[in-house]
Amino acid sequence: MLTRRSFVRIAGGSVGLLVAAPALVGLGAGARTRWTAGDPFSLGVASGSPAADGFVLWTRLAPDPLSPDPAAPGGMTGGDVEIAYEIAADPAMREIVRRGSAVAEAAFAHSVHAEIAGLAPDRPYWYRFHAGEAASPIGRSRTAPRPGAPLDRLRFGFVSCSNYEEGYFSAYRHLADEDPDLVLFLGDYIYEYVNPHDGRVRAHSDGVEASTLGTYRNRYAQYRLDPDLQRLHAAAPCLVTWDDHEVQNDYAGEWSESFDEPEVFLERRRAAYRAFYEHMPVRPSLSRPNGDRMRIYDRFTYGDLAEFSLIDGRQYRSRAACYIPPFGGGGHLENDASCPERRDPMRTMLGMPQEAWLYNGFARTKARWNVIAQNMMMAQFKERQGGGDFKFSTEDWNGYPESRARLLRQLHDSRAANPVVLSGDMHAYWTSDLRLDFDNPDSPIVGTEFVTTSVTSGCPPYEDYARHLPDNPHIRYFESRKRGYAMVDLTPRLMTTKLQTVSDATNPDATLATLETFVIEDGRAGAIGA
Ligand code: FE
Ligand code: CA
């Protein structure tokens, strides 16, 4: 496997050759082509992890993207392949500002993660790859402004829960067309399972639940073949966190939904995390997988305007509270009498090291808006079932109330400006005031949460949630009957969040409409309907 150091050395030493004639070069024993037919760039391009001087450029060589042979992922065999990239200042790629080479690593399904530095801040760039005779589509990325530099506006979208089988990705297409500076993927980017026949608009290609490296790879490849998703990735850089379905429904840390022996489940997690890495434009210097572990939490700063804390709510969490075999280990409802474990302060959603990292960021930020981008709804949601005590889901933040209380207390006490939490997973829009104590309507509002709806994935009946809203007055808005995304325009004075919905997720040509608009004023927590 190539180390970071050898990657840099190879890239530096080969630039001249590649500038003269973008060509496929085999590393080691001489140059040779590793595919004979098909477009090696069938999965498109992507960029991510924007910094003030660069970003990560991604592609994966896959001339036979859904190859059924696990020994030939994407139709590729053999060792590492060196390919060329170009970065330009204009969309027609006339004014090239950088040429270089990057390695498509055989150990990672011939994916490329080129960590680019040395570019100018706060401007768009266009890029493409060359391999042999083939050129990739042109993608557009964007550097961030320098930390602390004055910034007047930022425009970004956030999305979650795109089940390929349940619909078309029109939401991704419309988001791409809004010209965002940045896109946040907040989890359930793929679904590992296979829907029953009557729940399918289109089918996962292999018809089996992903559970091995080969089947996870093909799941990502199939999603990336989708033209709307390719268009979105080519339109803007992204930040990516995951939820459960990138691995398995309702898993928690080293515990599967069915509480298998962790050694058994961690083999599956290792495969799933590796495939995630192979398909996402994450920084190799941070996120290269280490066995069954992979760090994805990270922080991104946009001038003096915004800081994004992108966090991981799956990998480090404590085991779900109050599992009763053979009943499912995943989400179920418990009350305080049935499950005192839920309130154990030793339990954590983020793991103590990530909690410390996050709170340290709260204490140090100078940004006007402080965004926590993560996978699951943070607002408390209590449900009165059968006339008894309130019950709480064990699967989301409600299953980790002490961890949530620590986070909100730290956020409040840090006086970080304008905290905003962005979330996914619920397959519905929720806008909430995050109170220091959710059960006390007079307690301070620490920040505001926007949960985006799903791109395609279905939701339980509206009434199942809506009937509990009177018991949860901090929840200001709820709508589960629409699919789509959320779009944010940020200025020093205002955060404007539009809930953007598609007309019909089962229609590949679905149209777009704005369902609601919320504004948050600088210095005033809590969303106001506009
Ligand atoms: Fe989901
Ligand atoms: Ca989920």
Side-chain angles (χ1 to χ4, degrees):
M1 192 199 307
L2 283 167
T3 62
R4 169 83 186 146
R5 176 174 299 188
S6 65
F7 169 82
V8 171
R9 183 172 51 72
I10 290 162
S14 311
V15 169
L17 168 71
L18 288 151
V19 168
L24 181 66
V25 179
L27 297 178
R32 57 185 183 277
T33 302
R34 295 224 162 73
W35 63 92
T36 52
D39 174 10
F41 295 114
S42 64
L43 304 181
V45 297
S47 75
S49 301
D53 69 339
F55 31 67
V56 173
L57 298 181
W58 175 94
T59 192
R60 181 189 156 204
L61 303 181
D64 180 8
L66 302 177
S67 163
D69 178 2
M76 294 290 289
T77 56
D80 293 345
V81 177
E82 192 173 345
I83 70 171
Y85 66 80
E86 302 172 294
I87 301 172
D90 65 307
M93 305 289 297
R94 288 200 185 89
E95 193 190 328
I96 302 292
V97 298
R98 179 74 62 86
R99 286 190 169 92
S101 70
V103 177
E105 294 177 277
F108 294 101
H110 289 95
S111 61
V112 173
H113 298 79
E115 210 163 347
I116 307 296
L119 301 178
D122 194 20
R123 58 148 299 154
Y125 286 99
W126 288 262
Y127 62 94
R128 73 179 156 206
F129 296 93
H130 297 275
E133 301 291 299
S136 76
I138 295 171
R140 182 181 59 175
S141 192
R142 188 174 182 92
T143 50
R146 287 199 180 89
L151 182 63
D152 287 345
R153 62 180 291 279
L154 181 68
R155 182 170 172 73
F156 63 92
F158 59 102
V159 293
S160 77
C161 296
S162 48
N163 189 323
Y164 185 95
E165 295 195 316
E166 291 184 39
Y168 295 94
F169 295 164
S170 297
Y172 287 155
R173 179 177 70 255
H174 288 295
L175 172 52
D177 291 347
E178 293 210 49
D179 199 20
D181 298 319
L182 180 69
V183 174
L184 313 181
F185 290 94
L186 300 181
D188 291 356
Y189 183 100
I190 61 158
Y191 280 76
E192 86 289 10
Y193 63 80
V194 175
N195 282 51
H197 242 285
D198 58 1
R200 280 185 216 165
V201 175
R202 48 185 183 168
H204 282 147
S205 57
D206 49 16
V208 299
E209 179 166 330
S211 61
T212 62
L213 184 55
T215 50
Y216 284 117
R217 279 173 169 164
N218 276 8
R219 193 67 99 236
Y220 281 102
Q222 186 180 22
Y223 282 58
R224 281 294 177 79
L225 287 169
D226 181 275
D228 295 323
L229 181 52
Q230 279 202 12
R231 182 159 156 180
L232 178 56
H233 277 297
C238 65
L239 306 180
V240 192
T241 189
W242 50 35
D243 194 33
D244 52 340
H245 291 293
E246 283 84 354
V247 181
Q248 186 214 33
N249 181 58
D250 285 3
Y251 88 94
E254 59 187 15
W255 296 93
S256 75
E257 183 181 28
S258 48
F259 279 27
D260 301 325
E261 285 303 312
E263 307 87 80
V264 174
F265 175 66
L266 285 172
E267 279 304 305
R268 180 175 182 178
R269 195 179 91 168
R270 173 203 297 258
Y273 283 8
R274 190 178 187 88
F276 178 94
Y277 175 78
E278 290 169 353
H279 293 85
M280 294 301 179
V282 292
R283 295 196 287 135
S285 57
L286 180 81
S287 297
R288 186 182 286 274
N290 174 15
D292 53 48
R293 293 163 175 267
M294 178 176 157
R295 175 164 163 187
I296 60 169
Y297 64 87
D298 205 354
R299 189 173 287 125
F300 299 89
T301 304
Y302 277 75
D304 63 355
L305 187 63
E307 185 157 287
F308 293 87
S309 297
L310 179 74
I311 62 176
D312 176 352
R314 279 289 164 190
Q315 183 170 191
Y316 313 107
R317 64 162 75 176
S318 306
R319 197 172 76 167
C322 299
Y323 171 59
I324 309 163
F327 191 69
H332 57 287
L333 295 171
E334 297 280 0
N335 62 29
D336 283 345
S338 69
C339 184
E341 179 190 346
R342 192 180 65 92
R343 291 197 187 271
D344 180 347
M346 297 303 286
R347 300 181 68 254
T348 173
M349 181 64 127
L350 304 177
M352 295 306 179
Q354 186 180 200
E355 284 198 33
W357 171 89
L358 185 64
Y359 306 157
N360 189 35
F362 295 162
R364 289 170 33 183
T365 177
K366 295 184 173 66
R368 180 74 62 104
W369 299 90
N370 286 283
V371 178
I372 302 169
Q374 49 104 48
N375 52 329
M376 309 201 91
M377 184 158 93
M378 193 175 285
Q380 176 172 281
F381 188 65
K382 53 187 187 185
E383 310 177 40
R384 199 186 289 282
Q385 305 282 355
D389 286 349
F390 285 113
K391 293 190 172 184
F392 300 88
S393 169
T394 58
E395 225 287 293
D396 55 23
W397 279 100
N398 291 298
Y400 301 79
E402 297 298 320
S403 191
R404 174 174 59 196
R406 278 196 295 276
L407 190 157
L408 291 173
R409 168 58 70 184
Q410 290 279 342
L411 196 49
H412 175 265
D413 291 355
S414 74
R415 299 173 178 265
N418 297 317
V420 177
V421 176
L422 307 180
S423 319
D425 173 62
M426 293 294 280
H427 306 180
Y429 292 113
W430 305 71
T431 302
S432 300
D433 296 334
L434 296 173
R435 287 191 185 275
L436 201 53
D437 175 359
F438 286 105
D439 293 313
N440 175 5
D442 296 325
S443 91
I445 299 173
V446 179
T448 313
E449 178 178 44
F450 295 100
V451 181
T452 185
T453 193
S454 54
V455 169
T456 60
S457 310
C459 187
Y462 176 83
E463 258 309 304
D464 286 8
Y465 289 114
R467 65 196 174 96
H468 302 298
L469 294 178
D471 292 321
N472 295 274
H474 55 280
I475 296 172
R476 308 274 291 267
Y477 181 80
F478 165 72
E479 178 53 76
S480 64
R481 294 165 293 194
K482 297 287 185 181
R483 312 279 72 84
Y485 61 97
M487 195 74 203
V488 176
D489 278 290
L490 202 56
T491 71
R493 203 172 57 82
L494 284 183
M495 174 179 178
T496 306
T497 305
K498 289 193 294 183
L499 311 185
Q500 302 287 69
T501 60
V502 294
S503 53
D504 178 0
T506 67
N507 176 0
D509 301 315
T511 57
L512 186 70
T514 299
L515 180 67
E516 289 287 339
T517 303
F518 295 95
V519 294
I520 306 175
E521 297 173 8
D522 173 37
R524 269 186 59 174
I528 304 163

